[in-house]
Amino acid sequence: MKKLFSLMLACIMLLSLCSFAMADGYSGELKIWVAEAVVDFTQQQVEAFKALHPEYADMTVVIQPVGEGDAATNMITDVEAGADLFAFAQDQLSRLVAAGAVEEVEPSNAEVVKAENDPGSVGAVMMGDTMYAYPMTSDNGYFLYYDKSVVTDPSTLEQILADCEAAGKSFYMEINSGWYQTAFFFGAGCELTFDSNDEGQLIGMNASYASEEGVKALKAMIDLHKSPAFVNGSSISNATNIGAIVDGTWDATAAKEVFGDNYATAKLPTVAGFQMGGFGGFKMLGVKPQTDDDKLAACDALAAYLTSEEVQLARYNAVGWGPSNLNAQKNEAVQADEALSALAEQLAFCAPQGQYPNDYWSLATALGDDVIGGKLDDADDAALLEVLKGFEATCEGYLSK
Amino acid sequence: MTDLEYLKLSKPAKMGYKTRKFFAALPKKLVGVCKKLGQGIIHAGAGFIRGCKDTVQTFRTGDWKTKLSFLVMGFGSFARGQWGRGLLFFLFQTVFNIFMFMPNAQFSGCYYLGKLSTLGTVETYKEGRRTVYGDNSFFILLYGVLTLFFIVAFIYTWYVNVKQNRLSEMILKSGHKLKSTKEDVSALMDSQFHKTLLALPTLGVTIFTILPILFMILVAFTNFDATHQPPSKLFTWVGWDNFRQLLSTDTSSYGNTFSQVLLWTLIWAFFATFLNYFLGMLVAIMINKKGIKLKKMWRTILVMTIAIPQFVSLLYVSKMFAADGLINSYLMKWGWISSPLPFWTNPTWARVTVIVINVWIGIPYLMLIATGILMNIPADLYESARIDGANAFQMYKKITLPYMLFVTGPYLLTSFTGNINNFNVIFLLSQGKPLSLELSGNAGYTDLLITWLYKMTVNDTNYKLAAVMGILVFVVTAVINLIVYNMIPSVKNEEDFQ
Amino acid sequence: MSKKHEVPEVDIVIDEEAGVIREVKPEKTRSKKGHERRVNTSIYVILILMSIIWLAPFFFLVFQSFRSYATESGGMVDYLLPKQWSLDNYKWLLESQESNFLRWYGNTLIIAIFSAAIQTIMVLSVSYALSRLRFRGRKLIMNVVLVLGMFPGFLTMITLYFLLKQLGLTQTGAIPGLILIYVASSGMGYYISKGFFDTIPKSLDESARIDGATRFQVFKKIIMPLAKPIVIYTILMAFMAPWGDYVFASYVAFGSEPNYNVAVGLYRWVNVADYQGYFTRFCAGGVLVAVPITALFLALQKYYVEGVTGGAVKG
């Protein structure tokens, strides 16, 4: 029975391969948006793809540097002028789906994606039961970069701040970002997730910010802001006087440059007795809805290729982006990477990032700005609880009716 | 209150009286404006009816050439030898007909006009995995409005064409000759020169300003936003819902935020206008003072902030004031402060900082303007004041200031409304930050209405609310203009300056 | 003030009531002169302080542009003077294969030249027509422009984008597209030059008309030569504006990097997280943009002053 089944499976695979090979190919133009750092890399990979698939050899591929932040906004503004394949960070997915600016993943590719990538990244590309993008990296998380000569013990935030203050250095963390902020709230044990349906709408919310834990987290943020060493920020080359910074793998090269021999990484510290948590996020590759079947097939094939095990590994080797592919993650070099292992250590305390309404990010910035602006400096627990209640209520207002 | 009673009042009381009187007269003035508007409409209506009557009359009494011109535009002109005019009329009619009744429905005016009431009904659907786009609400609305423009233009041209026939007949009857095409052309360089001059600018403004503004006003009554984004999704008419969302004060609406942002916009415009005005004037007086050397050099140094593109200078200055920017770094290195000054993070600091940096940008303009005007103040005024024993401050108060205010009154108004829409300074310096839970809709404490509008358009693609905001900015600007225009007599009559 | 006629300024006072000329006591004069000197000194102090504040950011910008991105640090730092002065940033901008800077610079230059030329024609046409010619609808046009001007500029951005797109003038066509947008509605900015035309005496036109000149000839032969200052002012303004336009230029050209203008290109280096360590290159680029523009502006300063004062007085 088992044999028969595997035979059938092999047949089906062969058939699908045949149909793949028999596809008409595509020789028009195809536009890709990726971050500046990987333009050259993507160019090489596209050449490799063409060599592998002769039916696409005549295809003209244009690669433009459009950052992961801008891509979604541009796609939504004018989907026609947008790229056929575009890389974006996962917080943009619900927007893109709601605006109809991203195509569902081809069903057979979706099966492959599910089988080969880590569960968090698979969850991140799903809206309801539909898969809308190809996971590309699994490194969109943050951890601590620090200067060994300044920070003596990176395990508690209190100690890091004391060391920075003593050395006259700064501790950077972007606490007015909805992304970094969860390090406090999730770490203290709060929850904030949204349920989505297939149309890209968010229909339910599970939140426990307005709780004792939430107050604890908010107080930790306020204490952090009160330290003279604290600076709000997460961009390493814009930081002028770093003792330590909470940042992601994409800044690893810059961090090595800035810290030199004193470069060190660690998971996030504990604060007020709890381990800081946060989001484990992902970068993904989306395909634009197409009016031409051949072009769509080309997009599907190229997207699948650019997010495959080999290319993810190659991307790691070229620019250091951590793969979401399970096999690639097992690679020795990836395992040995200092920044990635700090990230992996931190991800153990993180929740995989799901779907959030676009307005959540500006609301979180508002909360962070209130903390940084000193508005909550003198608030007591009850007042903080009120603030968080308001926060939750506003979040709930973002749900689709 | 009699004149005598008024004169007895103290200065603040006089001010209060005047202000009260102004606001008491405001309803009357508004009624006056409405009346004028009403009269205008009645006037236009009467003109329209007269035009209709004339047209009917022309058809009744006109000869066959005229009658045929009702159907074939320009025929009369052709038949009477004015082939240039005839050709233009005929061409216009042909283009119009092609546009309206093009065989390819997707491009014809009638198609868009027909869909205007729903803004499209065919949803985008899938054929297999291929996407087949349905109606595009955006283009239906845009071309719908364009078609309406075209129809109005056509009716007007048609009317002119009829009128032309009537006039030609009258001229011929009276025994005069009609203008030849050659004469028509040379008139465009002489008696009709304004048409030549204004043709292109009018066309440009109609297509790239009036059409888009009308389009956006209509968008304010639709649900065009991130979840109703053509070509994938349709949007449709929703009436006044968006106005309600922006202005009502229940929790999910933006009313409170709107009033806060509006208030700050007005405060900002006030300081940006008057602080710069007085400081700029002061600087001009200092530089122009007798005995100060190197006048040209001082001026040139200050003018640098005008010359250097703002995206360079303001972006750089914004970074200078950051928590870890140069200013804080050096203050801390020198031990003057122990923690960074919250230039961009504390709401009040941020507001003061943008106003102060704007002084840096604004003083030079005012200095230049004031320099020019100060030189025009008759020197003997000062001379006699000096002889009367007036000190510098008194002379400033009694001569310089009134003269400046009188001459630059209109400028202050345009500058105030200009500052309401002063996008660059806020966008490049603070981007509206800091945000707060007390404000909603991504607005921050230094956001002006215009920067908020920009965020809605670009970051949130929430075009419906951006459109409402645009209309409200217009209303605010218009109200201020109306009030001030009524207060400054000198701007009313432009012929006075000639 | 010529030396010959110099009269001691405050040494005598005309007492009108008494009808006599009184001599002011010498001690008072001296103290007044001392006062004058003190006032002037404090003015100098203020002016010097202001000059420092006004120029400092630009000097800082220049300093930072000489800090090498390759050997020192391309990001932001908390010190002013580079540890080692280098031209690396400039070299990178002008010579590197990766850098599109020259392309952006060229784009902006093209936009500036064309929009200056066409915009000047538009503005002069409109302001001349509205100032010198009397025709039906003149008041209406002025009122409509006034009302249109009260709508905020960015309101119509999305509409303009799609209008341009219909003409194929976005992304790769962004440069002609931007020129079109800058130019199309520029006639609305007629106030200042109309104010200028208003000051030219009408009798000039009339006498020429009596001599048989057409209105076009009057415009060309009589008014234009007199309008040189305002023509230069209009050209200057139209030429400078495109260098600073980030908002619309980025909206029209998105995605197509070779078609950016300098403002869009450089802005991204500071505000988009993908560009780590580009700050000093931003500074160098900023200097390269600012220097020629500033030089041009300072050279034509005189006309600018005439324009703004004229505009301010005329409203």
Side-chain angles (χ1 to χ4, degrees), chain B residues 98-109:
Chain B
I98 292 175
F99 175 75
M100 288 302 284
F101 310 107
M102 198 128 65
N104 186 348
Q106 285 291 326
F107 297 102
S108 80

Side-chain angles (χ1 to χ4, degrees), chain C residues 119-134:
Chain C
Q119 201 168 322
T120 308
I121 296 171
M122 297 280 249
V123 169
L124 289 179
S125 306
V126 175
S127 47
Y128 179 79
L130 293 179
S131 166
R132 312 300 274 190
L133 308 176
R134 290 293 176 272

Side-chain angles (χ1 to χ4, degrees), chain A residues 140-154:
Chain A
N140 236 20
Y142 36 81
F143 51 93
L144 189 76
Y145 289 104
Y146 66 99
D147 184 329
K148 264 189 280 193
S149 67
V150 173
V151 176
T152 52
D153 174 15

Side-chain angles (χ1 to χ4, degrees), chain B residues 120-362:
Chain B
T121 46
V122 185
E123 304 250 9
T124 297
Y125 62 98
K126 295 259 164 167
E127 225 178 69
R129 295 203 61 238
R130 186 165 73 96
T131 304
V132 182
Y133 285 117
D135 284 339
N136 187 322
S137 304
F138 187 95
F139 286 121
I140 290 175
L141 185 54
L142 185 65
Y143 287 131
V145 175
L146 191 66
T147 310
L148 287 178
F149 264 47
F150 217 168
I151 290 176
V152 171
F154 176 74
I155 293 175
Y156 180 74
T157 319
W158 181 81
Y159 169 72
V160 171
N161 149 63
V162 170
K163 195 171 142 191
Q164 195 96 115
N165 276 295
R166 184 172 68 238
L167 291 179
S168 304
E169 271 188 50
M170 266 155 59
I171 291 171
L172 287 174
K173 244 179 229 163
S174 67
H176 290 87
K177 263 171 82 184
L178 288 178
K179 273 188 187 153
S180 70
T181 302
K182 209 174 151 192
E183 281 168 328
D184 274 344
V185 171
S186 62
L188 282 176
M189 285 293 147
D190 196 15
S191 63
Q192 301 295 310
F193 191 37
H194 61 273
K195 287 186 184 161
T196 317
L197 288 176
L198 293 177
L200 211 54
T202 313
L203 186 72
V205 169
T206 311
I207 295 179
F208 289 97
T209 302
I210 300 181
L211 174 68
I213 285 179
L214 271 182
F215 175 86
M216 285 316 278
I217 290 176
L218 292 174
V219 163
F221 299 93
T222 69
N223 58 358
F224 181 18
D225 62 14
T227 52
H228 299 90
Q229 181 83 47
S232 303
K233 307 278 163 84
L234 297 170
F235 64 79
T236 189
W237 302 106
V238 294
W240 293 90
D241 281 5
N242 304 321
F243 287 84
R244 231 166 279 143
Q245 202 200 338
L246 193 65
L247 294 175
S248 89
T249 48
D250 55 305
T251 45
S252 64
S253 303
Y254 293 158
N256 288 326
T257 308
F258 178 79
S259 53
Q260 287 203 49
V261 175
L262 174 62
L263 183 66
W264 159 243
T265 305
L266 294 177
I267 295 174
W268 151 265
F270 178 82
F271 279 108
T273 307
F274 291 100
L275 198 60
N276 288 357
Y277 186 77
F278 287 108
L279 291 178
M281 197 174 6
L282 200 68
V283 173
I285 291 173
M286 288 197 297
I287 294 179
N288 289 324
K289 190 178 177 301
K290 240 187 253 168
I292 297 292
K293 296 200 176 85
L294 301 170
K295 289 187 191 328
K296 208 167 173 202
M297 186 194 81
W298 302 119
R299 264 181 228 140
T300 307
I301 288 174
L302 295 185
V303 159
M304 294 284 278
T305 49
I306 306 180
I308 294 175
Q310 291 189 344
F311 88 93
V312 177
S313 58
L314 287 183
L315 267 185
Y316 185 75
V317 170
S318 146
K319 300 284 174 199
M320 271 173 63
F321 282 87
D324 53 352
L326 277 174
I327 292 186
N328 273 320
S329 298
Y330 272 95
L331 289 179
M332 278 163 78
K333 268 186 206 166
W334 296 331
W336 293 11
I337 51 172
S338 60
S339 61
L341 299 174
F343 288 114
W344 297 131
T345 52
N346 178 297
T348 316
W349 277 79
R351 286 179 166 182
V352 173
T353 311
V354 288
I355 288 177
V356 169
I357 296 179
N358 186 54
V359 165
W360 183 67
I361 295 284

